[in-house]
Amino acid sequence: MTPRALAWHITDTHDYFVSESSVYHILKAHDLITSPQFTVMSASDKFQHPTGLVHELWQSDAWP
């Protein structure tokens, strides 16, 4: 279980509040934290598709 899920379970079933960060620190102190299941992306030194004109920069904005 994740620290968030454990904190939620303890709070709901035992009527005792414990924060997610406290659960994380306790698990880490007992060496029970597993490695993350995601890959961390790093920033590149340059854009893959660099712009050539000033107004092309507007195209790099992300709109929903």
Side-chain angles (χ1 to χ4, degrees):
M1 294 178 80
T2 65
R4 178 178 290 180
L6 283 172
W8 176 82
H9 177 72
I10 291 168
T11 302
D12 280 357
T13 59
H14 299 290
D15 295 328
Y16 183 79
F17 177 76
V18 62
S19 69
E20 176 185 351
S21 61
S22 295
V23 173
Y24 176 82
H25 290 297
I26 292 168
L27 292 175
K28 188 172 181 178
H30 289 82
D31 201 25
L32 296 173
I33 295 292
T34 59
S35 63
Q37 297 177 357
F38 54 89
T39 305
V40 178
M41 296 175 57
S42 62
S44 62
D45 293 330
K46 62 178 184 171
F47 290 110
Q48 290 180 345
H49 306 289
T51 57
L53 300 172
V54 175
H55 295 296
E56 288 180 335
L57 292 175
W58 291 70
Q59 299 297 320
S60 65
D61 291 340
W63 293 94

